[in-house]
Amino acid sequence: MREIQTKPNLFKRFLSALIDYSIVFGFFYTYLMTFGTETSEGYVVTGFPALIPLFFWFFYIVLLEVFYGATIGNSIVGLKPISLINHNGELSFSQSIKRHLLDPIDMFPFGLIGILTISNTEKNQRLGDLWAKTTVINT
């Protein structure tokens, strides 16, 4: 693994996640209200159209990170995820997927698990970063 100095950057990481997931949930809510069918339990979208919010998450979170080096939230606050195993530091597709598949665990409850792992790991990594062999640095 690469030798790299990191900082916890808890506030920046919180703000970045807040920005990114506000965009994702905003899209989901708007999509549901626009294309959903109202039922007694709320709005629903069924069939293939129900996958569109998942595709949006995938494009916005995973593909932006792989092809542009960071999501909009990370770019705004000056953070960048990097690979600890690729010499150029660029994330692979699988690393980005691994990082974000564990977002629900890292963000539960109220980000406590992410905060604890970032604060108590040598390279300030959350669970997704540990699994993907990545970390987040200041740009």
Side-chain angles (χ1 to χ4, degrees):
M1 286 195 193
R2 293 174 51 185
E3 222 22 71
I4 194 150
Q5 296 296 320
T6 63
K7 295 179 182 177
N9 292 316
L10 290 174
F11 180 74
K12 282 184 169 185
R13 290 177 81 158
F14 169 79
L15 190 56
S16 171
L18 183 64
I19 292 167
D20 288 334
Y21 279 98
S22 291
I23 292 169
V24 169
F25 290 130
F27 173 83
F28 177 76
Y29 178 80
T30 303
Y31 181 77
L32 193 59
M33 293 296 116
T34 304
F35 299 105
T37 305
E38 189 172 6
T39 67
S40 61
E41 297 178 8
Y43 286 84
V44 296
V45 177
T46 59
F48 180 76
L51 296 176
I52 290 175
L54 180 63
F55 293 144
F56 178 80
W57 169 86
F58 178 77
F59 170 79
Y60 179 79
I61 299 289
V62 176
L63 294 183
L64 277 182
E65 196 171 81
V66 170
F67 291 111
Y68 295 103
T71 60
I72 292 171
N74 278 338
S75 296
I76 288 172
V77 301
L79 295 175
K80 178 181 174 118
I82 62 165
S83 173
L84 295 173
I85 54 176
N86 294 338
H87 294 292
N88 62 5
E90 291 181 14
L91 294 185
S92 68
F93 179 76
S94 65
Q95 285 179 305
S96 185
I97 288 279
K98 286 178 181 179
R99 289 186 78 238
H100 294 294
L101 282 178
L102 294 184
D103 280 355
I105 296 170
D106 281 324
M107 293 178 183
F108 179 84
F110 305 106
L112 184 61
I113 293 172
I115 291 168
L116 288 173
T117 56
I118 290 167
S119 299
N120 292 298
T121 55
E122 182 182 341
K123 295 192 183 326
N124 306 110
Q125 298 162 286
R126 55 188 185 83
L127 292 176
D129 290 319
L130 290 167
W131 184 30
K133 294 180 178 54
T134 60
T135 192
V136 176
I137 61 169
N138 284 314
T139 54

